[in-house]
C-alpha cells in the first residue's frame, strides 16, 4: 500500500506500507541497533513515536512470543529501508507484517532511512504524520498541526499496568531457550511507568521478587509496605514521554524519598528521581537510541568502559552533581548516565542494563541494587 509521510519541517515522502494501515501522528527518532527489532517495537518507552531503523533490512527473523518486552506495542510506527517478509529463524512464529497488523502499528518501507537519520541528527527529533489513506499534503499538515505534541501527552496512563501482579520469571536461558524459574529472597515494589519485561526478569534473576504496581500507586501504600516488611526497596521503571509533565508522580516520589527507602531507577525512573530532587531534566537534540553507546563507569574510582543499550530523549542536568556522585557518563556526548545520591540509599542509571538482546556489560547493576537492600 502507498504511504505518504509529512515531517514537521515540511518535507514529504512517498513510501510503501506494511503492517496496519491508517493515519498516525508521532515523534520521529532513529535507532542504531543491529539486532532486536522485536524488542524495540514492543518497548513501551517508544509510545507516541515512529522509529527509524538504521539497520537496512528489518523482518528477516520474524517474531516470536518470548521476545516481546510488553503485552502489546505502543509506538506509532516503524520506518525501514527494506522490509523482509520472507523470514527465516528456528524461533520465529510469524512475520513482522502479521505482528504489526495485530498490534495496529504502521510499517513504512522503501524510504531513504540514511537520509532521515542524517536529517534528525541535523534538525533534531520532530513530529510527523504518515497515512495510507490520506495523500493530500495540506490535509496531512492540518491534522499534524492539530495533534498534541509528544511533550504534551501523558502516555504513562496508557502503558502502566492497571492492577498489581507478581512477576514470575528470571532471565532468559540461552541454552534451554526458556526463562529461568524465579529464585528470590528479597522483595521490591516496581512502579510501572512502562516497564520492560526483561528489566523485571533481571531484577528477579538478581534475587528480588517484583511486585509490579500501577504508576498511580500512592506513596503511602508503598511506605506502609516497607514499614511492614513486605518489601525492602522500590524500583522506578523506564517509560515514555516527557518526565516534566508528570507532576503527581513527582510528589509521590518525594514522599518515598523522605522515608529513606532504598530506591533504584532506570531511564524515566532516573529522570524522575532527578526532578523529584529539584533538578529538572532537559531534552536532547535527537536522543540516544541504540545498542552501541559507550559509557564510562566511575564506580570505585576505576573507570571502565561499557557498551550499553539506550532509549531516551531526556537527560538529567550537570547541576545534579551538587547532590549526587556521577557514576556513569556517555562517551558520545559527555551526558550523565548514572548517579548515586549523597546520604541516601538511592541510585539510578539512564541506560538499559537489561539490554535485550544485548550488550550485557551493565547487568551487574541489578546485583548492586540487591546488595543495597
Amino acid at each position: 500500500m502507498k504511504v505518504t509521510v509529512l515531517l514537521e519541517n515540511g518535507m514529504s515522502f512517498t513510501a510503501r506500507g506494511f503492517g496496519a494501515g491508517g493515519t498516525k501522528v508521532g515523534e520521529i527518532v532513529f535507532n542504531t541497533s543491529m539486532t532486536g527489532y522485536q524488542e524495540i517495537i514492543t518497548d513501551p518507552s517508544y509510545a507516541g513515536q515512529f522509529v527509524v531503523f538504521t539497520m537496512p533490512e528489518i523482518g528477516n527473523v520474524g517474531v516470536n512470543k518470548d521476545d516481546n518486552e510488553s503485552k502489546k506495542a505502543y509506538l506509532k510506527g516503524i520506518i525501514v529501508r527494506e522490509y523482509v517478509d520472507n523470514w527465516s529463524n528456528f524461533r520465529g512464529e510469524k512475520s513482522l507484517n502479521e505482528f504489526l497488523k495485530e498490534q495496529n502499528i504502521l510499517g513504512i518501507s522503501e524510504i531513504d532511512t540514511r537520509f532521515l537519520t542524517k536529517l534528525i541528527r541535523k534538525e533534531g527529533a520532530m513530529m510527523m504524520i504518515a497515512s495510507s489513506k490520506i495523500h493530500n499534503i495540506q490535509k496531512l499538515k492540518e491534522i499534524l498541526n492539530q495533534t498534541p505534541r509528544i511533550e504534551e501527552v501523558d502516555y504513562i496512563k496508557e502503558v502502566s499496568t492497571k492492577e498489581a501482579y507478581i512477576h514470575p520469571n528470571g532471565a532468559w536461558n540461552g541454552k534451554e531457550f526458556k526463562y529461568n524459574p524465579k529464585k528470590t529472597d528479597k522483595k521490591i515494589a516496581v512502579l510501572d511507568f512502562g516497564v520492560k519485561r526483561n528489566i523485571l526478569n533481571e531484577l528477579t534473576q538478581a534475587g528480588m521478587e517484583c511486585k509490579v504496581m500501577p504508576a498511580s500507586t500512592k506513596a503511602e501504600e508503598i511506605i506502609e509496605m516497607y514499614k511492614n516488611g513486605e518489601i525492602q526497596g522500590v524500583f522506578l521503571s523506564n517509560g515514555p514521554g516527557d518526565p516534566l509533565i508528570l507532576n503527581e508522580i513527582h510528589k509521590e516520589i518525594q514522599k518515598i524519598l523522605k522515608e529513606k527507602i532504598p530506591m533504584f531507577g532506570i531511564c524515566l525512573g532516573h529522570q524522575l528521581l532527578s526532578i523529584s530532587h529539584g533538578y529538572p531534566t532537559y531534552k536532547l537534540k535527537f536522543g540516544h537510541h541504540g545498542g552501541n553507546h559507550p559509557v564510562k563507569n566511575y564506580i570505585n574510582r576505576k573507570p571502565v568502559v561499557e557498551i550499553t543499550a539506550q532509549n531516551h530523549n531526556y537527560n538529567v542536568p550537570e547541576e545534579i552533581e551538587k547532590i549526587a556522585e556521577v557514576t556513569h557518563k556517555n562517551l558520545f556526548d559527555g551526558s550523565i548516565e548514572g548517579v548515586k545520591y549523597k546520604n541516601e540509599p538511592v541510585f539510578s542509571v539512564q541506560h538499559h542494563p537489561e539490554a535485550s538482546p544485548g550488550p550485557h556489560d551493565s547487568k551487574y547493576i541489578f546485583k548492586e541494587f540487591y546488595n543495597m537492600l
Side-chain angles (χ1 to χ4, degrees):
M1 58 185 172
K2 175 184 176 181
V3 172
T4 301
V5 176
L6 174 65
L7 303 182
E8 185 179 9
N9 67 359
M11 287 187 178
S12 62
F13 309 86
T14 298
R16 186 172 182 175
F18 62 101
T23 302
K24 309 283 185 178
V25 180
E27 182 181 54
I28 183 172
V29 297
F30 65 86
N31 186 296
T32 57
S33 295
M34 300 289 284
T35 61
Y37 60 76
Q38 183 178 341
E39 289 91 334
I40 292 165
I41 291 169
T42 56
D43 180 351
S45 294
Y46 281 114
Q49 293 179 317
F50 286 89
V51 177
V52 177
F53 285 94
T54 60
M55 182 65 181
E57 291 187 348
I58 297 294
N60 52 329
V61 295
V63 298
N64 65 78
K65 67 180 186 302
D66 289 320
D67 288 348
N68 287 335
E69 289 286 5
S70 59
K71 292 181 179 179
K72 67 182 295 289
Y74 295 96
L75 46 60
K76 297 293 185 178
I78 64 171
I79 303 174
V80 305
R81 179 65 187 91
E82 183 175 347
Y83 166 63
V84 181
D85 196 53
N86 187 25
W87 59 273
S88 177
N89 186 273
F90 73 100
R91 293 179 63 228
E93 296 168 350
K94 65 180 71 171
S95 71
L96 178 58
N97 183 49
E98 293 175 272
F99 180 76
L100 294 184
K101 285 181 179 178
E102 293 171 359
Q103 300 291 318
N104 193 30
I105 302 299
L106 177 61
I108 302 168
S109 67
E110 297 185 14
I111 194 168
D112 190 343
T113 52
R114 177 175 291 201
F115 172 80
L116 282 176
T117 300
K118 288 182 177 180
L119 180 68
I120 296 167
R121 284 181 58 86
K122 180 180 178 181
E123 299 190 19
M126 65 185 80
M127 295 294 289
M128 63 161 277
I129 183 171
S131 180
S132 63
K133 297 181 177 180
I134 303 171
H135 303 289
N136 180 282
I137 297 300
Q138 186 57 39
K139 180 61 176 177
L140 291 173
K141 185 177 180 180
E142 291 174 5
I143 298 172
L144 179 61
N145 291 338
Q146 292 168 5
T147 303
R149 301 184 62 83
I150 192 168
E151 297 91 344
E152 301 168 348
V153 181
D154 180 0
Y155 283 105
I156 306 300
K157 296 175 181 177
E158 180 181 350
V159 302
S160 180
T161 183
K162 302 300 184 287
E163 296 181 0
Y165 65 93
I166 303 296
H167 184 68
N169 303 320
W172 176 256
N173 188 318
K175 294 182 179 180
E176 299 182 10
F177 294 101
K178 63 181 182 180
Y179 288 99
N180 290 326
K182 183 176 69 174
K183 294 181 181 179
T184 59
D185 58 3
K186 296 180 181 179
K187 298 182 179 182
I188 61 172
V190 174
L191 284 177
D192 177 15
F193 307 124
V195 68
K196 295 172 67 178
R197 184 167 69 174
N198 275 297
I199 288 179
L200 297 175
N201 292 339
E202 293 297 337
L203 287 166
T204 303
Q205 186 71 27
M208 294 165 278
E209 181 179 88
C210 298
K211 183 172 184 179
V212 186
M213 307 181 73
S216 58
T217 302
K218 295 300 181 183
E220 289 76 12
E221 183 177 351
I222 299 288
I223 294 167
E224 184 177 358
M225 291 170 63
Y226 179 72
K227 290 182 176 179
N228 291 340
E230 298 174 44
I231 59 170
Q232 287 78 52
V234 177
F235 174 72
L236 306 181
S237 85
N238 62 292
D242 187 343
L244 287 176
I245 69 172
L246 307 175
N247 296 317
E248 292 304 314
I249 293 176
H250 303 159
K251 294 175 184 177
E252 300 305 313
I253 293 174
Q254 287 169 348
K255 294 175 186 177
I256 299 172
L257 286 169
K258 289 180 181 178
E259 299 296 323
K260 302 293 183 181
I261 299 174
M263 202 160 4
F264 170 42
I266 288 177
C267 203
L268 180 67
H270 168 76
Q271 298 159 14
L272 290 170
L273 281 169
S274 177
I275 296 168
S276 298
H277 278 90
Y279 291 83
T281 51
Y282 65 95
K283 190 170 186 177
L284 296 166
K285 186 175 182 180
F286 48 82
H288 298 159
H289 311 275
N292 54 0
H293 286 245
V295 166
K296 185 171 282 190
N297 171 356
Y298 294 93
I299 296 175
N300 299 325
R301 299 186 180 181
K302 293 181 180 179
V304 175
V305 176
E306 304 166 9
I307 303 303
T308 69
Q310 311 228 355
N311 175 21
H312 62 105
N313 272 2
Y314 300 89
N315 218 76
V316 304
E318 296 290 335
E319 291 78 15
I320 203 168
E321 293 191 53
K322 295 176 183 177
I323 62 166
E325 172 192 355
V326 173
T327 58
H328 300 79
K329 277 200 171 184
N330 190 299
L331 292 181
F332 279 156
D333 60 9
S335 58
I336 293 173
E337 290 279 354
V339 295
K340 169 69 174 68
Y341 288 90
K342 299 173 183 177
N343 305 314
E344 290 181 290
V346 179
F347 76 106
S348 60
V349 292
Q350 182 60 73
H351 52 283
H352 283 267
E354 84 289 349
S356 297
H360 298 151
D361 296 15
S362 303
K363 279 193 176 183
Y364 67 90
I365 290 174
F366 294 103
K367 207 63 180 181
E368 295 277 337
F369 185 40
Y370 173 88
N371 293 334
M372 177 187 284
L373 301 180

